[in-house]
Amino acid sequence: SKRIYLVMRCVQGQTGRKESNCFHYDASLVTALLPVEIPQEGDQRGDLLLFPNLRRLRKYVLVNVLEKALLQNKLSRRVITRAIGVGLLKPQRLQLVPGNLYLFWGYRSLHANEPCDPAQLRATAIFHYGDPHAGSLMTRMILRHNQRRARRASAIGAQQAV
């Protein structure tokens, strides 16, 4: 796919905490992360945790989906987070600086953000490019599901802001 997908991600408060440590692989090959507003002080800045280039490109979308299902769930999230906490796993930790651009292989790199102080705002613009499974039925179904989920999340966030 030659399309670039833009996601503007803002987290704050307890809702933002739920979104932290959600380790995942992106559906696109290249990810560009542009921090807009990032806490620079304290322990909970929402740093990017990255295990770079762990996997190769998957030829079949089903293999990709199965692998993501094994890693992108609550149990795996807890196991990975605890393993990092006790020092068994050592990801690269990047303290994001607003205005800097961070490029990485999102499809190949397992990544997440650490918790952010609920009193602070963490806002990032994320650009995704190069879907290796573009056009497949499964990819279209997943994209539709994710778009519905994002609409629900933004509607909930708008209601909470009122």
Side-chain angles (χ1 to χ4, degrees):
S1 170
K2 293 182 180 176
R3 295 181 63 187
I4 295 175
Y5 294 96
L6 168 63
V7 177
M8 185 67 180
R9 188 160 182 263
C10 299
V11 295
Q12 187 173 28
Q14 293 306 318
T15 305
R17 289 182 105 35
K18 292 177 190 171
E19 296 293 321
S20 64
N21 291 321
C22 291
F23 286 90
H24 66 281
Y25 291 107
D26 291 340
S28 57
L29 294 172
V30 178
T31 300
L33 176 65
L34 179 63
V36 177
E37 181 71 33
I38 303 290
Q40 296 298 299
E41 303 296 323
D43 293 334
Q44 295 189 327
R45 300 177 304 256
D47 292 349
L48 178 65
L49 300 178
L50 188 69
F51 295 97
N53 305 326
L54 289 182
R55 68 179 191 156
R56 296 176 302 136
L57 184 66
R58 301 299 180 227
K59 183 176 181 180
Y60 300 104
V61 69
L62 183 59
V63 173
N64 180 50
V65 169
L66 291 173
E67 185 175 43
K68 288 175 84 167
L70 287 172
L71 282 169
Q72 294 175 207
N73 60 66
K74 287 182 183 182
L75 177 62
S76 294
R77 173 183 174 182
R78 280 190 212 116
V79 169
I80 294 169
T81 302
R82 284 212 177 112
I84 292 169
V86 297
L88 291 174
L89 292 176
K90 296 181 187 242
Q92 288 184 8
R93 178 175 276 110
L94 299 175
Q95 182 179 351
L96 303 177
V97 177
N100 286 0
L101 184 66
Y102 300 84
L103 293 170
F104 60 98
W105 297 108
Y107 184 94
R108 298 182 57 209
S109 301
L110 189 64
H111 59 281
N113 64 283
E114 283 189 305
C116 185
D117 181 342
Q120 301 290 320
L121 173 66
R122 181 183 189 278
T124 54
I126 306 165
F127 303 87
H128 297 285
Y129 177 76
D131 183 350
H133 306 293
S136 76
L137 174 62
M138 190 171 291
T139 299
R140 289 194 310 268
M141 289 171 39
I142 291 168
L143 182 60
R144 265 194 302 265
H145 170 74
N146 288 341
Q147 288 171 339
R148 281 193 302 266
R149 192 174 135 230
R151 279 194 296 272
R152 280 194 307 268
S154 66
I156 290 169
Q159 289 173 350
Q160 289 175 349
V162 173

